[in-house]
Amino acid sequence: MDAPATKPAKSATGPTEETVLDVKHYTDRLFSFKLTRPASFRFRSGEFVMIGLYKDNGKPLLRAYSIASPSWDEELEFYSIKVPDGPLTSRLQKIVPGDKVLLGRKPTGTLVHDALVPGKRLYCFSTGTGFAPFASVVRDPETYEKFDQVIVTHTCRDVAELEYSKKIVDETLNHEFLGEVAQGKLVHYASVTREEYPTKGRITDLISSGKLFTDLDVPPLNAETDRVMICGSMEMINDTKQLCIEAGLEEGSNATPSHFVIEKAFAG
Ligand code: A2P
């Protein structure tokens, strides 16, 4: 008997092969790259997707990566750490334009507008490569339709590790179309923990001490006006989440939108 006609072909569910268009190295630990975007690939700004490379045995090696480009962009951008012994990033860091990278077909995630109820001010708290989903969110015009103020914080060990977030925010504010909607709303708040810098310390300490709010001239976190997206290491997420809960905010999801949402920054 013939196989049922409805059985999906294997290639319809597996990853697609995309072409590397551009690669930028920021430090010996961080780089970003752009891939072609299939016409059928849809996602919401802030989501993640599986990407990867074929292993020597021909099997795909895939890891979750936040998409750093906004949903309107024709290309897909990613921001990655380089882990010397990381199964994927030890090889991914060597890609050059023209190479192929595998792209999963099902983007998903909670750092999206749909998971938050309306508010006045959006905080995006990030550490390290946790900035990646916010590179997408701050370049989405919907963010400025929904909020009067968008405060994206980025905390890194060294000053050099802030370069990517500074570049993205700077380009957004100076962008031909986005600049108009983002100017006067988008604020980049950077801090460094292991080097001298005008703003020093972990974001959790800057929230607890109130320095963040004094510096920005805004009231402390509150559930009436503030919405929060958090992305960083597991410890950073847990500590920042705790501060949100103490301020009276409740965690949201796609199914039950609320005041704050979390997602682990991916690495490996
Ligand atoms: P610190 O230098 O004090 O560890 P990493 O590169 O290890 O992911 O760290 C990125 C940034 O996140 C660093 O500045 C680090 O500060 C900070 N960080 C690490 N753990 C936490 C935490 N639990 N809460 C807030 N920030 C954190």
Side-chain angles (χ1 to χ4, degrees), residues 192-265:
V192 167
T193 50
R194 301 191 193 182
E195 246 183 20
E196 279 315 309
Y197 193 69
T199 307
K200 279 207 74 176
R202 291 183 170 193
I203 190 61
T204 40
D205 294 334
L206 296 163
I207 295 171
S208 302
S209 69
K211 180 169 164 51
L212 171 72
F213 310 109
T214 314
D215 286 352
L216 296 171
D217 196 20
V218 294
L221 274 185
N222 73 86
E224 275 294 297
T225 56
D226 299 339
R227 303 296 168 255
V228 177
M229 294 180 174
I230 307 169
C231 191
S233 64
M234 216 56 233
E235 295 75 29
M236 177 273 189
I237 291 173
N238 286 336
D239 293 352
T240 313
K241 174 178 165 167
Q242 198 50 42
L243 295 171
C244 289
I245 291 169
E246 282 166 23
L249 278 68
E250 283 172 8
E251 186 171 354
S253 66
N254 279 287
T256 316
S258 194
H259 308 132
F260 77 88
V261 282
I262 61 170
E263 204 119 81
K264 191 176 169 295

Side-chain angles (χ1 to χ4, degrees), residues 7 42 106:
K7 192 181 174 195
R42 297 266 170 274
K106 284 190 193 145

Side-chain angles (χ1 to χ4, degrees), residues 22-34 51-53 63-68 77-84 86-95 101 127-133 135 154 161 164 265-268:
D22 188 35
V23 184
K24 283 200 176 68
H25 293 268
Y26 297 95
T27 68
D28 54 6
R29 289 209 319 145
L30 296 164
F31 73 115
S32 70
F33 55 95
K34 289 183 180 170
I51 63 168
L53 297 168
R63 291 282 183 273
Y65 265 82
S66 286
I67 304 168
E77 185 176 336
F78 299 92
Y79 182 53
S80 178
I81 193 140
K82 306 176 198 176
V83 181
L88 180 62
T89 62
S90 61
R91 292 174 52 215
L92 197 61
Q93 64 179 283
K94 295 187 186 131
I95 54 169
V101 168
T127 54
T129 54
F131 176 75
H154 193 206
E161 295 180 339
Y164 181 69
F266 310 102

Side-chain angles (χ1 to χ4, degrees), residues 16 18-19 21 34-44 67 69-77 103:
T16 58
E18 300 307 320
T19 306
L21 300 170
K34 289 183 180 170
L35 302 181
T36 49
R37 176 180 178 175
S40 60
F41 187 86
R42 297 266 170 274
F43 70 101
R44 297 173 297 171
I67 304 168
S69 45
S71 57
W72 52 263
D73 207 335
E74 283 172 19
E75 298 166 355
L76 294 173
E77 185 176 336
L103 174 74

